[in-house]
Amino acid sequence: MGFSLLPSSPAFLAVFLLSFVTWCLHPEPILAITRHYKFDVCVMFFRSNIVMLQNVTRLCHTKSMVTVNGKFPGPRIVAREGDRLLIKVTNHVQNNISIHWHGIRQLRSGWADGPAYITQCPIKTGQSYVYNYTIVGQRGTLFWHAHISWLRSSLYGPIIILPKLGTPYPFAKPYKEVPIIFGEWFNADPEAIINQAMQTGGGPNVSDAYTINGLPGPLYNCSAKDTFKLKVKPGKTYLLRMINAALNDELFFGIANHTLTVVDVDAIYVKPFDTDTLLITPGQTTNVLLKTKPHHPNANFFMSAIPYMTGQGTFDNSTVSGILEYEYSHKTIQSSRSPKKLPLYKPNLPPLNDTSFAANFTSKLRSLASAEFPANVPQKVDRQFFFTVGLGTNPCSKNQTCKGPNGTRFAASINNLSFVMPTTALLQAHHFGQSNGVYNPIFPISPLIPFNYTGTPPNNTMVRNGTKLVVLPFNTSVELIMQDTSILGAESHPLHLHGFNFFVVGQGFGNFDPKKDPKNFNLADPVERNTVGVPSGGWVAIRFLADNPGVWFMHCHLEVHTSWGLKMAWVVLDGKLPNQKLLPPPADLPKC
Ligand code: C2O
């Protein structure tokens, strides 16, 4: 009997055709879903495990802190690329609250971005707001954090974006995935610390500890039992989703006797490369693969982070450590030594001010730039901007003594303009055509008075103050050079742009040279990210396409510099087509 590929009975044929039609109309199952989360912001009493004075046991003190759902760090958000998120945030505390989904592109959904007084007024006590957005074209790790004052010191948590269902990673499937989120712990209330600093004009007190997943680890007094332990099996690959949620410190991180393979930064895949040490600035995320040793090593390994410090101020010069512990399989003959007695190795981390390590590390980051994950680098530029970033001063008011440099107040600026926060949200002002008296649409595109930015600083360190924005037509292709200044000391500044990823096309030390430096720009496979370190005493060049209408904050992710004014915003106008316009504001958008 013959065999035909096509069915022959009419009934069968009908079913076949019907299923074929159905298949063609829905070529694949509907994969993206909507996920609902509830965030309740509450005060929680938390046993601090850090010694404030001499006596360890007595001084493990109790402090109250603001949390989401009573958790510290806060709850994880897990979603797939393409999913929509509806997150209802209810404020049960006295502080005003707003939550930012750091690194999420927020295509046309700027109302859900979260920075207070930029895209929304804060959520007041007793009120709720539903953040509503869809994750488009991103996969990896991001994080959420409070975006008002210094509340992000305790309000932060991971955002884990898995690839679409059925889409594999562009690397071997890891055996397990582990978020590792760095934070900064203050014995005192961080709100009191920054309020006091803003009053006196001086530098704020530094943190008392760094934390890994909320835990300071054994190198701090009274904290040995508060140590993050990563228990692993030999011969496996683990995906560590690293997040720097610290307020004011860039970090070096390493695991003793283990090499890490970087595969993704800021939720974009990169060309994999091996390194013993990572540099991760506040606002950056890095996915790394950790291959465990083939056999039980009969040792434990510190996983430690220390600050990368370039400025002249005081800083928290302490080390946070977790422990990598190998599990024994029950078939293995147990070592007579209990795990605690195993030798403990420490990683070799660079010196605290190792700027050449930083430059070398960041130059290894390249986009994957494959057919499936192309690097869409803008090849031509419509508008160029040159921004100086750095510190400065404001005068002390009469009858006051200030604790900033030479009796002034510390300030920080972009093109010598220190940003003044408005009292109403910029996005509403823009959307409803009420920008008059709220912001000035003419931000300086380059310094008004050029100087030798990285040479001997000028005598006059005073900044100007104002709320100025750059306005861009839809789809403008932007090139931005950010130049560090030596005013009050050269310093690395991790600049974060909301609403976009950008490509880091060049970086260097000294002053940017507009004739020579662009020739060396990488327009083929530059790393794509949302936060980039402006090198200490150097510059960085980025490009992005302004294809997302809205008002987008850009600021140094060292929170103290944001407080001092190192921030500005871009207005991207609506395009002509219906799908190029900002969506209307949600009905529950908080009012100022
Ligand atoms: Cu992670 Cu504007 O912030």
Side-chain angles (χ1 to χ4, degrees):
M1 205 180 127
F3 179 78
S4 159
L5 273 175
L6 284 173
S8 48
S9 101
F12 198 90
L13 188 65
V15 171
F16 177 82
L17 282 178
L18 189 66
S19 65
F20 188 74
V21 167
T22 318
W23 171 251
C24 288
L25 290 178
H26 302 282
E28 54 189 33
I30 295 153
L31 300 173
I33 59 165
T34 299
R35 297 171 193 257
H36 297 258
Y37 284 87
K38 258 191 87 191
F39 273 28
D40 286 290
V41 181
C42 345
V43 173
M44 123 174 192
F45 286 91
F46 193 80
R47 292 237 342 133
S48 159
N49 298 284
I50 296 148
V51 176
M52 290 168 73
L53 295 170
Q54 315 92 322
N55 192 317
V56 172
T57 5
R58 272 193 282 154
L59 294 167
C60 298
H61 71 131
T62 302
K63 86 162 183 172
S64 75
M65 58 198 279
V66 179
T67 68
V68 166
N69 301 351
K71 290 200 174 129
F72 174 71
R76 286 176 202 175
I77 293 213
V78 182
R80 287 189 184 277
E81 180 187 346
D83 286 352
R84 179 173 169 217
L85 286 163
L86 290 176
I87 304 156
K88 180 174 183 177
V89 177
T90 305
N91 180 3
H92 300 284
V93 298
Q94 291 308 307
N95 314 66
N96 281 338
I97 294 293
S98 109
I99 305 282
H100 169 52
W101 319 92
H102 177 114
I104 297 276
R105 291 256 358 241
Q106 300 290 3
L107 284 163
R108 300 176 59 215
S109 56
W111 305 106
D113 192 38
Y117 303 107
I118 306 294
T119 60
Q120 68 166 93
C121 299
I123 306 168
K124 297 198 188 96
T125 309
Q127 295 185 344
S128 301
Y129 178 46
V130 178
Y131 290 87
N132 175 354
Y133 57 89
T134 300
I135 301 173
V136 181
Q138 300 181 285
R139 62 305 275 181
T141 307
L142 296 171
F143 68 120
W144 57 265
H145 63 75
H147 210 307
I148 181 164
S149 191
W150 277 25
L151 287 171
R152 76 180 177 88
S153 64
S154 63
L155 291 178
Y156 62 82
I159 301 179
I160 290 163
I161 310 171
L162 302 168
K164 287 185 178 157
L165 207 61
T167 307
Y169 292 123
F171 43 83
K173 188 174 189 293
Y175 172 69
K176 261 196 182 151
E177 304 191 1
V178 186
I180 300 214
I181 189 159
F182 298 107
E184 242 174 314
W185 171 271
F186 296 79
N187 284 336
D189 174 14
E191 288 302 280
I193 292 174
I194 185 57
N195 290 343
Q196 191 206 10
M198 295 309 280
Q199 258 161 34
T200 64
N205 289 348
V206 301
S207 54
D208 297 285
Y210 300 105
T211 53
I212 293 179
N213 295 342
L215 303 168
L219 301 181
Y220 296 96
N221 288 328
C222 204
S223 301
K225 51 187 195 321
D226 297 311
T227 301
F228 173 69
K229 289 199 176 139
L230 178 57
K231 300 209 166 141
V232 295
K233 293 196 163 74
K236 304 269 187 221
T237 300
Y238 292 76
L239 177 67
L240 308 184
R241 296 173 171 272
M242 324 263 320
I243 300 161
N244 188 347
L247 280 187
N248 293 320
D249 294 270
E250 306 187 30
L251 296 169
F252 290 127
F253 171 82
I255 305 179
N257 296 11
H258 288 76
T259 298
L260 306 168
T261 307
V262 179
V263 292
D264 185 314
V265 298
D266 296 2
I268 297 286
Y269 295 130
V270 296
K271 291 198 173 79
F273 68 95
D274 288 352
T275 185
D276 292 340
T277 305
L278 289 183
L279 172 62
I280 184 164
T281 79
Q284 291 183 335
T285 54
T286 309
N287 281 4
V288 300
L289 298 176
L290 165 69
K291 251 203 174 130
T292 56
K293 310 227 171 267
H295 305 290
H296 196 293
N298 282 313
N300 290 325
F301 305 92
F302 261 148
M303 9 198 315
S304 306
I306 56 167
Y308 163 50
M309 192 56 208
T310 51
Q312 294 183 338
T314 49
F315 63 101
D316 176 355
N317 181 9
S318 66
T319 305
V320 56
S321 290
I323 299 178
L324 182 73
E325 271 183 19
Y326 280 76
E327 290 170 357
Y328 288 99
S329 73
H330 22 257
K331 280 187 198 142
T332 322
I333 301 152
Q334 291 268 346
S335 149
S336 55
R337 299 186 285 187
S338 77
K340 273 187 194 141
K341 301 223 180 81
L342 292 176
L344 181 59
Y345 293 103
K346 296 184 177 176
N348 287 319
L349 295 172
L352 298 177
N353 60 357
D354 199 341
T355 292
S356 48
F357 177 91
N360 190 20
F361 177 81
T362 51
S363 69
K364 288 184 201 156
L365 292 164
R366 297 297 169 96
S367 280
L368 197 53
S370 63
E372 196 179 352
F373 303 104
N376 296 317
V377 192
Q379 298 292 318
K380 66 157 192 43
V381 170
D382 300 322
R383 295 205 50 196
Q384 258 171 330
F385 298 87
F386 183 85
F387 287 180
T388 58
V389 298
L391 302 187
T393 52
N394 262 320
C396 195
S397 43
K398 273 187 201 150
N399 313 322
Q400 214 204 336
T401 39
C402 291
K403 291 195 176 153
N406 302 315
T408 61
R409 321 173 64 83
F410 267 114
S413 69
I414 299 178
N415 282 347
N416 210 39
L417 189 68
S418 185
F419 191 85
V420 176
M421 277 315 240
T423 49
T424 177
L426 297 175
L427 186 59
Q428 277 109 309
H430 158 66
H431 188 72
F432 294 108
Q434 294 164 344
S435 61
N436 246 337
V438 178
Y439 67 83
N440 172 327
I442 308 173
F443 189 91
I445 61 166
S446 60
L448 298 184
I449 306 167
F451 61 100
N452 180 1
Y453 307 111
T454 50
T456 314
N459 290 330
N460 182 358
T461 59
M462 291 294 168
V463 298
R464 293 172 306 120
N465 299 279
T467 310
K468 297 190 179 180
L469 278 64
V470 175
V471 179
L472 298 169
F474 183 81
N475 256 344
T476 305
S477 160
V478 175
E479 182 175 277
L480 168 64
I481 315 292
M482 291 185 281
Q483 169 77 58
D484 183 34
T485 77
S486 52
I487 297 175
L488 302 176
E491 183 166 5
S492 166
H493 294 280
L495 262 289
H496 171 52
L497 175 61
H498 289 226
F500 301 94
N501 285 333
F502 49 74
F503 292 94
V504 184
V505 297
Q507 62 171 40
F509 290 113
N511 296 341
F512 173 73
D513 183 335
K515 290 213 183 74
K516 286 198 199 120
D517 289 324
K519 290 186 190 130
N520 301 320
F521 283 178
N522 173 9
L523 302 180
D525 64 350
V527 67
E528 177 181 349
R529 59 188 328 170
N530 65 58
T531 304
V532 67
V534 177
S536 178
W539 55 271
V540 67
I542 65 171
R543 286 189 183 185
F544 65 97
L545 183 67
D547 59 355
N548 191 10
V551 175
W552 304 108
F553 206 20
M554 190 176 88
H555 59 93
C556 182
H557 219 277
L558 305 180
E559 208 55 45
V560 53
H561 293 171
T562 308
S563 303
W564 288 342
L566 212 170
K567 52 196 173 191
M568 54 83 68
W570 307 79
V571 182
V572 178
L573 304 176
D574 280 346
K576 290 206 181 83
L577 302 175
N579 64 357
Q580 297 174 337
K581 294 184 198 301
L582 177 70
L583 296 168
D588 60 344
L589 186 71
K591 294 189 177 62
C592 277

